[in-house]
Structure formats: C-alpha cells, structure tokens
Amino acid sequence: MASVFLYHVVGDLTVGKPELSEFPETETVAAAIGAIGDSAEGGIPVWRKRSLKSPIESAESRQQRFVGILNALDIAAFLARDDCLSDQEKAINTPVSEVVLPDNSALKVVDPGTRLIDALEMMKQGTKRLLVPKSLVWRGMSKRFSILFNGKWLKNADPSGSASASASPSAGSSTNTLLTLPNALRPPPSSSTSSIQDKFCCLSREDVLRFLIGCLGALAPLPLSSIASLGAVNPNYCWIDASCPATEAAKKLPHDPCAVAVVEPTPEGQQKIIGEISSAKMWKCDYLSTAWALAKLSAGQFVTGVEDHTNLRSSLPDDINNTNDVAGDETSNGGSRLRNPNLSSGRSMYRGRSSPLTCKVTSSLAAVMAQMLSHRATHVWVTEHDNEDVLVGVVGYTDILAAVSRQPAPAPAPATATASAPAAPAIFDTNAA
C-alpha cells in the first residue's frame, strides 16, 4: 500500500474548501435545482433544521440531522410523475423532504486527523461525503507533522501534554507538546470556540480523486496498469433496453453510480451502448422538458433526442412549452416576476446527451481518473478492446478507490533449489602400488 494513504490525513484535503451551507429539507424543489447546479457530483446533502436548545452541536447530533443526498435524477423522476406533469407549478414548489431518499450512511462526520486510508475505507463502504470540522490544529494525526494543512508545519495538538510540559520544565520535548504558533494559527479563545466548532466543510469523492491524481508517482505502478488487471471494472451495472419506456430507468433507482445504460441487443447476444440516463447527464438541464421526455418517450428516443433547442421546442406539446415559460418565473417579495434560469427552457434537454463517456478494458487507471475529472463525471462505461460499442461494465468512484488502496499481491515463493547432480564415481588406479 502506498505511504501516501498512511502519512496524510483528511485535513490535508480540506485546504481552501468553503464552509458548508446546509440545505434544509423544507426548501422547495426549485431551490434544489439551483443548488445542484453548483454542487459536486451532481447532488446536495439535505438536512433537518437544527434545534436551538444548545449553541454547540455535537458531531452525533449533526449526523442524526442528515437526511440524504438529493441528485438530479431524483428530481427529474419526481417531476415525471403524472400528478407533477399535470400541475408543474405545484411540483416545483414541493418541499425536498418529499423527494429525497433517506440514507443517513451517505455522509459521515469525521475528525480532521482521520487517516486518509480510513477515509477511503468509509467511501468504499458507501459513504459519499465526509463532513470535516474547519479547525486549526487537531490530535491523533498519523504523522507527527502535516506539511499540507494550511500550508504550515503543524504539530499534534495536545493541551494536556502542553500543560504538563509547562509544569515540569525539566521534561524533554515531547510529540504531544504544542508547537509555538503565530497568532494567526493559534487556537481561538474560549469565547469563540462555539463559532469555530460550528464551521464544517464537505469533502466529496471527487475531491479525493483530485488529490490522488496529484500523487500518481507515489501510487506507481498502479496508475499505468489497465483497469481490467486491477479488477476495477464492475460488471454488475444497471441497464435498460432502448425500446423500453424511459421511466423504467427512474424506477431502477441505481445507487452508485447513479446511472442506467441504454443498450441495444446485438445478433451475437451482446449489449451495444447508445446512451445513458444518469444524474451526471442531468446535472444542468431543463428539468421540466426532461421530465416530460422521461415520462413520454422510450429510452432510445430519450438519449438520442434532438440536441438543439429549436427542434426540441417543436417536438414538445404546446402545454409543456407554455408551462416552461410560466414555471421559469419566480415571484419575489416585491411582487415582480424574475426569470429563473434553472427552470427556463433556454437549455437543451440535458448536456452531453449525444454519446456516453466510455473507455476500454485496456485503458490505464490514470487515464480513467483523468477522464472522470475532466468531465466531472461520476462514472465511465467500459467497452471491449476491439469493439467500442459492446458494453462490458462500468467504473465508478468506489471501484477506483478500491483499486488504489488494494493490498499488493504477495510475492511468489522463491523456487526451490535444484538438487545437485550426483557426484561422478571415483576412479581408482588398479596399477597403483
């Protein structure tokens, strides 16, 4: 296992991360659409409102307030319901508590000093986000110093060790002694402790992948190995026939990755991928038009539909076009109507619909990682080496994290020494005296 997983902590990856702004479950679907467009992995964490009984909230109570992660496919599937299509204005003003799927295990509150290898294990078990307190120093680091956190050399903070050291000057320096820090890096006074403890940042799997791609040298030779040789290709993917209704994809509700491949059968009995219905493809889209297409079209028509806005508008019925124009307006407090770009029909049905993101079974792990990050995708579909249309599996965040953290195969046992050849028989000279 690479030492980068043992000598780095979660706090190293939170440098420059903005403070978390909680999205409450009482907000509307329209507000969620705007928040998803600016989020990582095309989803937002949804929270219950905090109780005002205590000014300081523990990590356990914050974990209990977490509801789940709402993504674009959840919203599109909700808006594609018959009752929502009949009254879209009511649908977009529905609280997200009626849309989000409860999953408390999708987010974990962790300490900044948590080892990176432990964070990877959590994400391999299904955790999608890590909630990390934005503190200046921490305890329990896997290494004495962290050269990345805040760009400073910080030592483990142990107030008890610092107090004991000051009480006994004769004691030598200890790893638990506080490092003398400048005023800008010293822990805050007790009066502002509650405000510091309430500041958290959210770490996604995309953030971890960006960190790992900057450490490819430390992961050698894994980055140049093929995804097939590393066992990173997941053959258990969700798929739907192109002739089936597109709503069948929403009913499957794939967990991770949140994507359904749209395939056509080949004469050889294989599956040819022609597109996908996923949260990543619906990340920034016209949700009302997408919901109508999801409810009325087949899967093949949905993924190969008209790309430009003009033809899309002509293919939609008049009532949907008129509803889009009305639903794109939001009434402000002053009574004026403001255009909402997230719900307007000025966009295509969803971006990148023309072709899914694919790679080959022989593609290297580094190439797939770069492909996912450059497209901000949560997955890449895997095809055969000699046929780019035949689908064999999918690679997601969980598969990549499992591949880079897998224990190396044990070295083969040394070959046993070859038995020495029998010695030649001695020759005696019979003529010797």
Side-chain angles (χ1 to χ4, degrees):
M1 182 181 299
S3 60
V4 66
F5 299 130
L6 303 176
Y7 292 157
H8 284 86
V9 292
V10 172
D12 295 336
L13 279 65
T14 61
V15 179
K17 293 289 292 183
E19 181 182 349
L20 172 69
S21 179
E22 293 187 358
F23 190 86
E25 62 178 354
T26 55
E27 285 285 356
T28 63
V29 172
I33 290 175
I36 286 177
D38 300 327
S39 65
E41 300 184 23
I44 53 173
V46 179
W47 303 82
R48 298 183 183 91
K49 284 192 174 181
R50 175 180 173 179
S51 175
L52 300 178
K53 295 181 179 179
S54 175
I56 302 178
E57 184 180 28
S58 63
E60 292 76 11
S61 59
R62 184 178 288 267
Q63 178 72 57
Q64 294 175 359
R65 287 197 302 109
F66 172 69
V67 180
I69 296 179
L70 181 67
N71 59 48
L73 184 57
D74 295 332
I75 293 181
F78 170 75
L79 295 177
R81 289 165 33 179
D82 293 337
D83 56 332
C84 295
L85 289 176
S86 60
D87 191 351
Q88 291 185 330
E89 185 175 0
K90 177 182 178 181
I92 62 175
N93 291 314
T94 303
V96 296
S97 58
E98 301 182 16
V99 183
V100 62
L101 298 177
D103 184 9
N104 188 262
S105 62
L107 180 142
K108 296 293 183 184
V109 181
V110 298
D111 188 81
T114 304
R115 297 185 308 169
L116 183 57
I117 184 61
D118 298 327
L120 292 184
E121 288 298 325
M122 297 180 191
M123 291 184 170
K124 286 160 56 178
Q125 298 299 324
T127 300
K128 298 180 180 179
R129 307 289 173 87
L130 297 178
L131 198 63
V132 187
K134 291 181 68 67
S135 58
L136 295 178
V137 291
W138 62 79
R139 300 174 57 183
M141 294 171 56
S142 59
K143 196 176 181 182
R144 182 175 179 181
F145 294 102
S146 173
I147 62 174
L148 294 180
F149 189 70
N150 284 343
K152 301 291 183 179
W153 288 86
L154 298 183
K155 203 172 187 178
N156 284 348
D158 190 348
S160 61
S162 176
S164 61
S166 60
S168 55
S170 59
S173 60
S174 171
T175 58
N176 292 329
T177 306
L178 275 173
L179 184 67
T180 303
L181 298 175
N183 294 332
L185 295 177
R186 288 180 181 176
S190 58
S191 59
S192 60
T193 301
S194 60
S195 61
I196 292 295
Q197 291 181 352
D198 285 342
K199 293 183 178 181
F200 288 79
C201 64
C202 197
L203 199 66
S204 67
R205 296 175 297 180
E206 181 182 351
D207 298 322
V208 176
L209 200 63
R210 290 189 184 278
F211 176 81
L212 293 180
I213 206 169
C215 307
L216 292 182
L219 301 177
L222 295 180
L224 297 182
S225 303
S226 67
I227 54 177
S229 64
L230 296 175
V233 181
N234 181 11
N236 302 318
Y237 55 89
C238 292
W239 61 274
I240 184 176
D241 193 275
S243 60
C244 295
T247 51
E248 294 295 327
K251 295 178 181 179
K252 288 181 178 292
L253 293 177
H255 178 64
D256 188 32
C258 187
V260 178
V262 180
V263 300
E264 290 179 345
T266 63
E268 295 79 12
Q270 298 172 320
Q271 293 179 338
K272 175 183 177 181
I273 183 170
I274 63 173
E276 66 172 292
I277 300 177
S278 65
S279 175
K281 290 293 185 181
M282 298 179 183
W283 190 354
K284 299 179 180 180
C285 69
D286 178 358
Y287 283 83
L288 298 180
S289 298
T290 301
W292 179 89
L294 194 64
K296 304 299 182 181
L297 303 180
S298 67
Q301 292 172 335
F302 184 84
V303 299
T304 59
V306 182
E307 185 67 27
D308 61 280
H309 164 64
T310 304
N311 293 334
L312 173 62
R313 292 281 289 184
S314 62
S315 65
L316 295 178
D318 294 337
D319 57 342
I320 295 297
N321 288 332
N322 296 334
T323 306
N324 286 341
D325 295 335
V326 175
D329 298 333
E330 289 290 324
T331 303
S332 63
N333 295 332
S336 61
R337 303 183 70 83
L338 301 177
R339 190 70 175 172
N340 188 339
N342 299 310
L343 297 176
S344 67
S345 56
R347 301 181 180 184
S348 61
M349 191 179 299
Y350 60 94
R351 62 170 189 156
R353 178 184 43 204
S354 55
S355 60
L357 194 63
T358 61
C359 67
K360 298 181 180 180
V361 291
T362 54
S363 299
S364 66
L365 180 64
V368 175
M369 293 170 62
Q371 198 174 7
M372 291 177 62
L373 290 177
S374 61
H375 291 271
R376 299 204 70 181
T378 59
H379 59 280
V380 178
W381 300 103
V382 184
T383 61
E384 289 185 347
H385 171 62
D386 53 352
N387 192 337
E388 297 182 358
D389 292 331
V390 176
L391 183 63
V392 296
V394 66
V395 175
Y397 283 120
T398 304
D399 305 307
I400 291 181
L401 297 180
V404 298
S405 61
R406 184 176 291 113
Q407 293 286 353
T416 57
T418 306
S420 58
I427 300 176
F428 298 96
D429 187 4
T430 57
N431 297 326

